[in-house]
Amino acid sequence: MENKLAKYGVKKPVSRPKIKPTKQLNLDTPEGQRLVYTEARVILAQHKKTFRRLASM
């Protein structure tokens, strides 16, 4: 197998174990709704100009 990472300075790649997700998100709970609300506020704040342009279309 060819070392694809050699161009980045990695001499020998290390195989890592696969990590299975353990946390389940339930968006019906108040905590889940709060999570959606805060993430939406962050996205709206970061992309204010984009949403303003979309609203005027």
Side-chain angles (χ1 to χ4, degrees):
M1 183 173 101
E2 180 184 331
N3 183 2
K4 296 178 186 176
L5 300 176
K7 61 183 175 183
Y8 300 111
V10 177
K11 298 188 186 327
K12 183 179 176 187
V14 177
S15 61
R16 302 280 184 203
K18 300 293 180 190
I19 299 174
K20 295 180 182 178
T22 57
K23 190 171 186 178
Q24 296 289 328
L25 287 178
N26 185 0
L27 301 179
D28 293 333
T29 62
E31 293 84 16
Q33 292 174 356
R34 195 174 320 118
L35 176 70
V36 170
Y37 180 74
T38 56
E39 289 297 318
R41 284 185 59 196
V42 168
I43 290 171
L44 287 171
Q46 288 177 345
H47 303 285
K48 189 182 294 186
K49 289 183 182 179
T50 302
F51 287 112
R52 194 176 304 136
R53 284 189 212 130
L54 288 172
S56 67
M57 292 178 103

